[in-house]
Amino acid sequence: MNKTFTLLLVVILTVYAANLYAQASKETPEPKQIENKISAVKNANPGDYILLPSGKKYTLTKEEIAIAKGEFNYENLSDVETTVESDGTEIKTISQGHIAYIYPDGQSTHILKTNISFTAYMRYVKDAYYLAQYI
């Protein structure tokens, strides 16, 4: 009786573990190559990549997909990768195409390497600030 119970318990746990593994596999799809188009980026998953003419893979992050969809929150950069230099300058890597340098005096510089990063950030600036005050 004890051997039968142990065998039954092992079978049940094995089936349960296989089911959990199958669910985890469904939730994280395999990275796939997508076209170098905004519409493709909007429908991509983190980890999908664009094959560049140089042969390099440009792997998309959740931030880049949110930027393409117009859903990225520039007001809250606490979740992005941040490096602090010895002089107190924070380097925030918003995406591969957008890096922000936040200086200790409160000023900042944004390096925008891609068209979508530039367009999305300019939309944010236009909506967040009354530009006539600054021109």
Side-chain angles (χ1 to χ4, degrees), residues 2-21:
N2 195 13
K3 288 182 180 181
T4 306
F5 177 74
T6 305
L7 182 62
L8 182 62
L9 184 62
V10 167
V11 169
I12 289 172
L13 288 175
T14 303
V15 169
Y16 179 72
N19 188 27
L20 284 178
Y21 178 76

Side-chain angles (χ1 to χ4, degrees), residues 39-58:
S39 59
V41 174
K42 287 179 180 179
N43 295 316
N45 294 310
D48 289 351
Y49 62 92
I50 298 168
L51 189 61
L52 301 173
S54 65
K56 291 185 178 181
K57 291 181 180 179
Y58 186 94

Side-chain angles (χ1 to χ4, degrees), residues 58 64 67 72 74 77 80-81 89-103 107-122 125:
Y58 186 94
E64 288 170 318
I67 288 168
F72 187 78
Y74 288 100
L77 299 179
V80 300
E81 180 185 331
T89 301
E90 292 182 5
I91 303 171
K92 295 190 174 279
T93 305
I94 297 168
S95 71
Q96 294 176 70
H98 186 170
I99 300 171
Y101 291 83
I102 314 298
Y103 301 106
Q107 295 186 29
S108 63
T109 299
H110 291 261
I111 309 298
L112 303 159
K113 299 178 184 177
T114 62
N115 185 28
I116 188 61
S117 294
F118 177 80
T119 303
Y121 190 67
M122 289 301 107
V125 168

